[in-house]
Amino acid sequence: MRVPVDWLREYVEIPKQARGADIAAALVKVGLEEEGLHGADLTGPLVVGRVLTQQLEPQKNGKTIGWCTVDVGDANGTGEPQGIVCGAHNFQEGDLVVVALPGSVLPGGFAISARKTYGHVSAGMICAADELGLPDDGSGGIIRLADRLPAHELAPGDDAVPLLGLDRETVEINVTPDRGYCFSMRGVAREYAHSTGASFVDPVVALRDRAPAGNDAGFPVELRDEAPMRGRAGCTRFVARIVRDLDPAATTPDWMATRLTEAGMRPISLPVDITNYVMLALGQPLHAYDLDTVTGPIVVRRARAGETLTTLDDVRRTLYPQDLLITDGGERPLGLAGVMGGQDGELGEGTTAVLVEAARFDPVTIARSARRHRLTTEASRRFERGVDTDLAAAAAQLAVELLVELAGGRADAAVTDLAEPLEPVVIDLDPAAIGRLVGVDYAVDRVTAILDEIGCSIDGSGDLFAVTPPTWRPDLTTWPDLAEEVARIDGYDRIPSVLPAAPGGRGLTTEQEGRRLAANLLAGRGFSQVWSAPFVGEALFDQLGYPADDPRRSTLRIANPLSDEAPLLRTSVLPSVLEVARRNVSRGTKDVALFEHGLVLGGPAGVAPTYDVGVYPGAEAVEQIAAAVPAQPRHLAWAMVGEAEPAGWWGPGRAADWADAVGVVHALAEAFAVEIRVSTGAEAPFHPGRCARVELADGTYLGSAGELHPKVVSALGLSGRPVGGELDLDRLIAASTSPQASGLSNYPSAQSDVALVVDAAVRAADVEAALRRGAGDLLESVTLFDVYEGDQLGEGSRSLAYRLVFRAPERTLRTEEVNDLRDAAVAAAGTATGATQRI
Amino acid sequence: MSGPNTQYDPVEVSALDPAAIDQAVQDALSAIAGATSLDDLKTVRTAHQGDRSPLALANREIGALPPTAKAEAGKRVGQARGRVGGALKQRQAELESERDERILVEEAVDVTMLPGRRPLGRRHPIELMGERIADIMVGLGWEVAEGPEVEAEWFTFDALNFDADHPARQMQDTFYVDPPENGLVLRTHTSPVQARSMLERGAPLYIACIGRVFRTDELDATHMPAFHQIEGLAVDEGLTMADLKGTLDRLATELFGEGIVTRLRPSYFPFTEPSAEMDLRCFVCGGTDPDCRACSGTGWIEWGGCGMVNQNVLRACDVDPEKYTGFAFGMGVDRALMFRTGQSDMREMIEGDVRFNAQFGMEI
Ligand SMILES: [Zn+2]
């Protein structure tokens, strides 16, 4: 909401010296946050000048500059013409222009000084509208004052700052959705008074007194809402006033056009400008119809299916049955109530008689229409947030008075004022409760004084008051609403600071601790953490090589995605990490190791019912809602591109390979003391021969790691041999164990090496498992220390060399014992995998 | 000294001659002193202490002497051998020490060369910031609660007093899951976790909710479609806005340092009544520069929204509003990181450029 300061001054006493910043500071205290200050950001000398000569000089760079002499009166101290170079030529000798003399500072801190340019000394600047922070006047460049200010007597040297309104200030504030009444000068003025104690006179009081009561001769209007929304009728008051004999040639006076422009609205025509002016001044949206195009009666009703309306913005809209319409005779739609008028009934150049509508529309009806038609207007914004419920007659009166005064019209004595009674809101208030909620011990008479100040009427005494909020505060419905009023008017700065003693909690959960551990572990191993938006496209699933029936293809779609390329929710984190890796490579970082943990979609979604606010729907309903939310496990993914160990003074680098990716899984398993099983996997997006499938001991799938499939690498725009992995972090953490300590043996260990020849298809993990099984409890460790494939073994075989380390808890093992254990291990491996010992 | 003994073999006698022994000692000492390496000294040792050295020979001669002369000669030779042996030992120690020192010098390397064989990775500073805030809240006796990102509309809005037709609901810029009538959204704030916690655990309750939230904002320097929020919710008997202010003051002090100045100013949120914004005194200008870009000259920087839990929220979450009051607050973790680090472009915080994380340590 933009508030021109001089307009605000009309309703509330603001100290003469107060600037926009002071006003903003006063308003923020009562809850109207400053969004910006506009205007008065220019210092002169900015004067009227008359162009005496204009010599056009083509330049080598293709431009043509104008070398001008300009009469600026005595403003330059000499009375001599001022020489100025000007790049624009939409003016001529003899024109009155605006000159910024050396020493002036234009908006944006642009300081003007005499400078040498294009072979002249240019002592100032001939100004265009945008250079002064003014809206374009259609001149297409330099301001020609004869066009812009035709009614003014101007002389060279006159101060142009007040002439152009450049000394005027506008305060822009943010109005929260509960404060509809602050979308008006009247409302903001009232809040300024609350903040500062300044004297405020509500303009509506006098207008209401002057407004004639409705009578039978008024224009016929019928309220025919057959489908109230959420039990509330769409229109509960309709004031119609008629003004005739308007002078079609009458134009909007400068002062009104200026105020409208400063408030952010474009002047259109006098009657339209008057309705907008009244809305900005008082907060009541109005609509004016060309009376000669309306046969009547005006019928307010819901739209019918398939009905259409062409609104003032030239859009033909198909209406929804819930839309509330203003119609002529019940048939011809004249407008979408409270949102925007239609082209039928629109004011034209020849309009001489208008019907002014000031109505009370239900916020829900208006909000839904505005939303359905994606049409937020100045009117709908106000109705949605709540307009003063007793403003219609006063606002119509102001509009009528202005039409009479400025357009020479004549007001009909016949007045329509249809009003359905509103259920008054009365709030039961225990004044002490306010202090108990806010934490400040307010005296009872302080509470009542503040409520009185904001316009409430109060009945009762002691610990029970009946408080009726003013008509402009439909947001006040409960006693905590009144508590906020008391607290903010008394001042939030009076609230003390007390640290409450929480009963003490259980600390971080296992999941929270576990997540930190996993992330720290990855970072310690050289991976940099990233986090990506969770949106992906169907194409990505193809690029990753997911089969048609891959469950990772089934996910949810966003109805209103930011990008149509990525409307789906991710089911896997690794692709996000690969995308970030690609971005890093494209920015010149060739060796990248990244990880990310985040939620993925991991199950089907149901339908979650909703219930009205303020109502506990019951345990069963809550359960049903929660059950509709799809499972979203937390996944951890990592990837490496380029070298895992860089080259340096120590020697050559080492490219990241599958073992780096799989090594992460083992490190995590060790960190969480989780027993895992690794087997050969073939899941997309991995290389089918270089993919490790990882399961928990009970066979639960945990994740996969390895080298990426070459087709995936090229489809994702990567190169080389990227590696990576992904696992379900929730499952890993849930499987984490607290092993029991077994005591360490101080007796010496004994080792025995064996080389086993196996078929190349036999997996090392199976051989190792068999060795462990066969060796029994005295086996301390098994290490695969060499792998050999070669001619000596023949095609299709390989040799795996293991070091077995044995240790007994309470004695030194004898050599024969160790040999027996080794032989048992080898035998077990032989049985399980066909391994034979290589001699 | 004994007199001449004519029975002696003149050659052998000469080996035991005191002068000869002195000479042998002198020769040995000067050879020892002249040894410049351990190898030299080894040769010297063989020559002057070995089996064939003059003193060894002299020692052997002693046996041939008449018993009367044996004692004296033995003493003389013994002393001589002792002197040589001592000198050798001393020189050996000296040379060993010299060698050790020389080796240390020779083995010196340039330790300023960066040993970057295994580069360290990094945590993302946003997550670190969230963890720091979580730790502060846990230190105050609160717990950290979490919830899903795809969330039921009812938990996200209706339970929190966001009426379907209230403008505040539209202002949330919500991503809807298709089809929208199924009632699922991407949570626009972490508040649904508050609703879930109240429903699951009831009062009293002191929880912080940290997590990722989503708004339909295009990515630019100051907006992100996905960002991180921290919210707090306390529900107990007798809680007031003063408790709210005290909690926020403490959090601000822990995060931004002793002496940070805060203020509450009136605002509006559907889930709180009364509602407030929490501002921090501008870090950059301290409220003294009307042209300050950090605070737009207002002297204050918006930190987060807060207020007393709206009774409708308590009711919807099955908490008795007659018995309990509560307060809630929420702020952007990303914004807190920006304040703390001077980071000005939000895009850098989510693009994942490894150079971004590398600016920070493993703690924020
Ligand atoms: Zn500042």
Side-chain angles (χ1 to χ4, degrees), chain A residues 33 515 529 532 559 583, chain B residues 146 176 212 275 302 351 357:
Chain A
E33 189 190 351
R515 215 177 298 152
Q529 185 177 17
S532 317
R583 187 178 303 143
Chain B
E146 289 161 309
Y176 284 87
R212 218 167 164 197
S275 300
E302 200 173 306
E351 282 174 338
N357 285 6

Side-chain angles (χ1 to χ4, degrees), chain B residues 329-346:
Chain B
F329 57 86
M331 58 267 302
V333 176
D334 322 71
R335 268 175 75 77
L337 179 71
M338 292 170 98
F339 296 159
R340 216 181 144 93
T341 63
Q343 175 69 25
S344 60
D345 191 331
M346 282 196 161

Side-chain angles (χ1 to χ4, degrees), chain B residues 282-289 292-301:
Chain B
C282 177
F283 308 104
V284 177
C285 73
T288 57
D289 177 7
C292 175
R293 281 169 57 186
C295 64
S296 314
T298 62
W300 296 95
I301 290 178

Side-chain angles (χ1 to χ4, degrees), chain A residues 4 8 17 107 125 139 175 270 286 303 307-308 366 414 461 491 494 603 690 716 729 756 763 775 783 823:
Chain A
L8 190 64
Q17 70 281 7
M125 186 167 110
S139 67
V175 177
L270 179 56
L286 302 177
E307 216 169 348
T308 61
I366 303 307
S461 62
R494 289 201 53 223
R690 297 185 170 186
L716 295 181
L729 189 56
L756 300 175
R763 303 290 81 187
T783 313
D823 291 345

